[in-house]
Amino acid sequence: MKFLAVLLVLSPILLASSSGVVKIQLHKRLPPTFDEHVENHKRFQQALSQYTVLPSYGGKEIVELRNFVNSQYYGSISIGTPPQEFEVLFDTGSTLLWVPSINCYSSACKTHKTYKNYMSSSYKPSSYEIKIVYGKGSMAGVMGRDRVQIGSLEVKNQQFAEAVEEPGDAFLMSKFDGILGMAFPTRSSSIEPVFQTMYNQGVIKDNVFSFYLNRDPNGQIGGEMVLGGWNDFYFDSSKIDYIPLSKVDKWQFTIDSISGRGGYREGVFCQGGCQAIADTGTTMIIGPTEEISAIHEYIGAKEQFGMGMVPCESVDTLPSITFHINGKDYTLEGRDYIVNLADHNQMCLTGFSGMNMPSRPWILGDAFLGKFYTIFNVQDESVAFAPLNKYI
């Protein structure tokens, strides 16, 4: 099986290995401050309304995208000939690959690397234009095609977008330059994700990718992404239980229910079932405001801006929260769903965040995914959350 393993760590050092496997050390963002979390939360509320419009020859196509402003994990790719390097967020909640353009004069573009199409001999222009609307701002760009490389894996003629306008400060302070979307396109979409191009061109044999996310903010290794397979060093591959997708244009599936257990207390949430998305581009577990408030009340957290705070000394005594999915239980202990803050030693932030999101699915971000080894199976249209080995 030919595959690419990507390490998510603190320094961008390339590690070559044998057996056709290439490991790339990437960046992991340091623990955020409380104010940063509040600002990210506000930006995320705006991002929930975003959509993409691709007008061409009088027609247009609408594709919903996802949040990327509060993720922690990102790494290096190159675009063009000769290669131009960028830091991108690997986001399973969106589809498109985009980076800032040299023709972008927004403040956010000035603080990041920009793509120069005139310097690439393999660049091909497109007639499509793109616009992502957020509510209070927008990102506009132009589509094109070029060579894209991740480690030693290369695809030719990959579709991507050059951003020529970026709204406000949504991207101004981000540690990454652009986004590499890893979600399915809609059935009628003309957007081509990079992982699909890799498979179509025979760069990877199996149309599968996977993530290990290290939630330890002090850990040297931030995690690992594998393209074309998985790394069973982190989990027992005999314990893979695939969950069928309920909506194939996203990594969306059905949660049967969510329950809590701690001492003599019990709580039940998501009664009757709810939809959820596995999203590496989101730090928190996002749910409807009333449901998240009920969870916060159950675990004894004080709410502020839709987020919950608990004394750090109480983390080990917090009740567990179990997600019941496809007949299996996936349990988070208190230490699993707590987010450490850089500027707080006494108060800790919960990994649950409430949003006014009627009819929208829950979003299971890093606070959930970090407890498991996550496999995204494109060819079988399923996702799996495998328990991590105890020595990890």
Side-chain angles (χ1 to χ4, degrees), residues 299-300 309-319 334-335 338-340 344-349:
I299 66 176
M309 301 287 288
V310 297
C312 295
E313 62 183 15
S314 69
V315 170
D316 291 335
T317 62
L318 292 176
R335 60 182 177 276
I338 289 298
V339 178
N340 293 317
H344 279 266
N345 294 322
Q346 296 181 338
M347 298 300 292
C348 286
L349 190 71

Side-chain angles (χ1 to χ4, degrees), residues 272-310:
C274 53
Q275 294 296 298
I277 296 172
D279 187 359
T280 60
T282 299
T283 301
M284 312 289 273
I285 298 170
I286 311 294
T289 301
E290 62 277 8
E291 292 270 32
I292 296 299
S293 293
I295 291 176
H296 281 155
E297 181 179 359
Y298 170 74
I299 66 176
K302 294 182 179 179
E303 274 200 329
Q304 188 175 4
F305 301 105
M307 299 179 292
M309 301 287 288
V310 297

Side-chain angles (χ1 to χ4, degrees), residues 105-175:
Y105 300 101
S106 302
S107 297
C109 293
K110 295 178 182 178
T111 60
H112 293 88
K113 298 175 184 177
T114 56
Y115 173 75
K116 306 170 182 64
N117 60 35
Y118 60 85
M119 293 184 62
S120 176
S121 61
S122 50
Y123 169 73
K124 297 179 181 179
S126 170
S127 59
Y128 283 100
E129 296 180 349
I130 183 173
K131 188 173 184 180
I132 303 177
V133 179
Y134 290 87
K136 293 186 177 179
S138 64
M139 186 279 280
V142 294
M143 303 294 288
R145 294 182 179 273
D146 209 337
R147 166 186 171 273
V148 173
Q149 185 167 355
I150 308 175
S152 64
L153 302 186
E154 176 185 331
V155 292
K156 301 176 181 178
N157 205 35
Q158 173 63 46
Q159 183 191 55
F160 75 107
E162 300 176 58
V164 296
E165 179 184 348
E166 296 185 17
D169 62 352
F171 308 103
L172 184 63
M173 302 305 294
S174 68
K175 301 296 184 180

